[in-house]
Amino acid sequence: MTPLQASQLARDICELAPIVPVLVVDDADHAQPLAKALVAGGLPALEVTLRTPAALEVIAEMAKVEGGVVGAGTLLTPEDVHAAIDAGAKFGVSPGATDRLLDACEEAGLPLLPGVATATEAMRLLERGYTMLKFFPAEASGGAPALKAIGAPIPQVSFCPTGGVSPSNANDYLSLSNVVCAGGSWVAPKDKVQAGDWDGITALAKAAATLSR
């Protein structure tokens, strides 16, 4: 898979909804009902971060949910890439980008949303052929004003900002011409997941799905 092909597939996934849920799930038993709740609310693209021992099992369970497109977040190494694919991930997300990670995703055919925080990082990935990137950590890196400023001289690149995005500032990002969607964790708060409040999560997803872009 070429970087350009990877970016096109990643863009297609990002265009499914204005918000991509960023999920940290501790219990695989929650995977399917959580995915069903988010999909029912209009958020089909699901990023499961590899931050818990259960993450790969969670991906495997969510991959069984009709209408969902499950990806693996926090990819750091080639080993992460192969484990995510084996679990059923259809796309990958990384906080940054290394040559080894990019090579692994391209060789394995996994569309990657690589993370950047600066214009130089964006230019480097654009030079390689990537045109759909993750802006991370969004708020800590200057927020929507910074992303708007980066976009002015590099209009060829589009972004999914993640990190500190919330209902109060999501529209600031989504209103930018170089933003396709945003990643957010508020649609699946830990207390609602642990309580099994799937209807409450569906309601949060529905509200997020109506955000304009």
Side-chain angles (χ1 to χ4, degrees):
M1 177 179 290
T2 68
L4 190 59
Q5 290 170 331
S7 280
Q8 184 56 61
L9 290 171
R11 179 186 291 271
D12 290 344
I13 293 168
C14 286
E15 288 178 344
L16 292 173
I19 299 297
V20 175
V22 179
L23 308 171
V24 181
V25 185
D26 297 300
D27 188 344
D29 288 341
H30 293 150
Q32 287 202 34
L34 174 57
K36 289 177 181 178
L38 291 166
V39 171
L43 303 181
L46 311 170
E47 177 192 339
V48 178
T49 62
L50 300 186
R51 300 182 193 176
T52 71
L56 292 171
E57 188 178 354
V58 169
I59 290 172
E61 289 300 313
M62 286 191 172
K64 302 173 184 176
V65 174
E66 185 176 356
V69 182
V70 184
T74 326
L75 295 180
L76 303 177
T77 67
E79 291 74 22
D80 290 339
V81 173
H82 298 306
I85 291 172
D86 289 343
K90 299 302 182 186
F91 67 96
V93 185
S94 60
T98 66
D99 288 332
R100 289 183 70 236
L101 183 66
L102 295 170
D103 289 343
C105 287
E106 291 163 17
E107 291 169 6
L110 183 70
L112 179 68
L113 197 61
V116 302
T118 67
T120 296
E121 291 168 344
M123 288 171 62
R124 178 180 177 276
L125 285 168
L126 176 62
E127 189 174 80
R128 184 162 174 146
Y130 287 90
T131 59
M132 184 71 221
L133 308 177
K134 168 182 173 177
F135 182 57
F136 176 83
E139 281 295 286
S141 299
L147 188 51
K148 181 179 180 180
I150 288 174
I154 316 175
Q156 304 95 321
V157 176
S158 297
F159 296 89
C160 169
T162 302
V165 180
S166 68
S168 64
N169 62 20
N171 280 327
D172 294 339
Y173 289 101
L174 293 172
S175 65
L176 299 179
S177 61
N178 60 337
V179 169
V180 177
C181 68
S185 59
W186 80 86
V187 292
K190 190 172 184 178
D191 58 341
K192 288 188 181 297
V193 173
Q194 291 181 334
D197 183 6
W198 311 123
D199 288 342
I201 288 174
T202 294
L204 289 172
K206 285 181 177 179
T210 63
L211 291 171
S212 60
R213 51 180 173 172

